[in-house]
Amino acid sequence: MDKQLRTPPPYPIASVDHALRAATILQMEGETTVARIAERLGVARSTAHRILAMLVYRDFAVQDENRAYRAGPVLELAAHSRSLVSRLRAVAMPHLHRVAALLDETTNLTVRTGDTARFIASVECGQALRVGSREGMVFPADRTTAGLLLLADLPDGELDELYDPKRYRDRPGELPDLPRLRTELRRLRRNGFAVNQGRSERGLTAVGVPVRDRDGTAVAGLSVSMPGARYDPRHLRSLVAVLNTAARALEGDLAGEG
């Protein structure tokens, strides 16, 4: 059946349309400038600047040291494969619900995009004091449980390139101590799990394990988050066991879908 002809909505919102078009340009065409966006959209430079500033605020864009703009973590999910992300989320949801019910703690699924980690699914627990849903949030990969697990899967060369100081000229405070990070990642590879105590958010503790594809490559991290006051290190082994069981079941479902 032929697709119906698209027509503008009866009450178009120009600012929304401009933002969506700018995001599409960033995603499809790569690096751009305020002047180029203004020309493409037919708006003043001041308007283009405000549009790009909002896209940066919402992680749809980032600005580099040369003041040029490029696709941010949200749009870069396309490089991670939209089909993989949507498949991961759909297949993972039953497992997240099961873990959340069993442990009564908020459960998350996270992927890595460059040096950031993005939560693509989250199921809250039923406790009054709990960690809220993190779905859609983006954090530095080296500060999250799942992000660390996914970084641990990278060869040394890729890790060097990812944390090249040149990429952090305009944000030197965000560059991690690479030798220290390497030591930590080696330990994570040996252990097969990660524990994050207040690293991404104060008062929060998270425990996670990797989710791998058929080739053994870590494609996501499965984790539980809880208020730090409720975390008991004596229960770590049982937490990891539950997460690993769920991760293996999720991997089996992913492999079954092809």
Side-chain angles (χ1 to χ4, degrees):
M1 181 182 295
D2 293 337
K3 291 183 180 179
Q4 292 183 347
L5 180 66
R6 290 186 180 181
T7 57
Y11 302 102
I13 303 174
S15 59
V16 175
D17 186 50
H18 289 153
L20 292 173
R21 289 175 60 196
T24 301
I25 291 168
L26 287 168
Q27 187 178 51
M28 302 300 293
E29 301 178 20
E31 187 177 285
T32 191
T33 62
V34 171
R36 200 172 302 150
I37 289 293
E39 180 182 358
R40 291 287 296 277
L41 300 182
V43 299
R45 289 195 182 192
S46 58
T47 300
H49 183 268
R50 289 196 296 272
I51 291 169
L52 289 166
M54 184 55 68
L55 292 179
V56 169
Y57 176 67
R58 290 296 181 184
D59 286 319
F60 282 77
V62 293
Q63 187 179 26
D64 63 23
E65 63 271 18
N66 298 318
R67 305 192 68 78
Y69 293 83
R70 56 183 175 80
V74 173
L75 296 180
E76 285 181 345
L77 277 176
H80 189 78
S81 171
R82 284 174 296 182
S83 61
L84 175 58
V85 170
S86 61
R87 245 187 352 116
L88 264 172
R89 189 182 188 284
V91 173
M93 288 307 293
H95 301 285
L96 265 63
H97 279 287
R98 199 170 296 120
V99 172
L102 186 60
L103 299 177
D104 205 11
E105 298 293 356
T106 298
T107 309
N108 309 291
L109 188 73
T110 309
V111 297
R112 182 184 64 83
T113 305
D115 61 356
T116 65
R118 182 176 182 83
F119 290 75
I120 63 170
S122 189
V123 175
E124 291 188 20
C125 68
Q127 303 201 58
L129 178 61
R130 63 180 182 272
V131 176
S133 171
R134 293 297 183 262
E135 187 167 319
M137 290 187 177
V138 178
F139 292 90
D142 65 297
R143 297 180 192 173
T144 68
T145 306
L148 287 166
L149 290 165
L150 296 169
L151 289 173
D153 207 52
L154 294 179
D156 286 345
E158 287 189 35
L159 198 67
D160 286 336
E161 184 178 347
L162 191 63
Y163 290 110
D164 186 333
K166 295 177 182 176
R167 299 184 65 245
Y168 287 80
R169 285 175 184 164
D170 59 335
R171 46 186 179 126
E174 296 180 22
L175 179 63
D177 181 331
L178 196 53
R180 183 176 177 179
L181 180 60
R182 285 189 191 283
T183 300
E184 183 174 17
L185 296 182
R186 282 195 293 269
R187 186 177 71 253
L188 294 185
R189 279 195 290 270
R190 289 195 303 268
N191 293 342
F193 65 87
V195 179
N196 176 358
Q197 293 183 281
R199 192 164 180 163
S200 57
E201 296 179 68
R202 186 178 300 172
L204 182 152
T205 296
V207 179
V209 300
V211 176
R212 300 183 181 278
D213 63 14
R214 287 179 173 179
D215 300 324
T217 301
V219 294
L222 178 64
S223 62
V224 288
S225 304
M226 67 198 75
R230 198 155 61 226
Y231 173 68
D232 186 341
R234 292 174 298 179
H235 298 157
L236 177 59
R237 182 172 295 182
S238 61
L239 288 173
V240 172
V242 170
L243 288 168
N244 272 326
T245 298
R248 301 297 83 78
L250 172 52
E251 291 166 355
D253 287 350
L254 281 172
E257 281 206 350

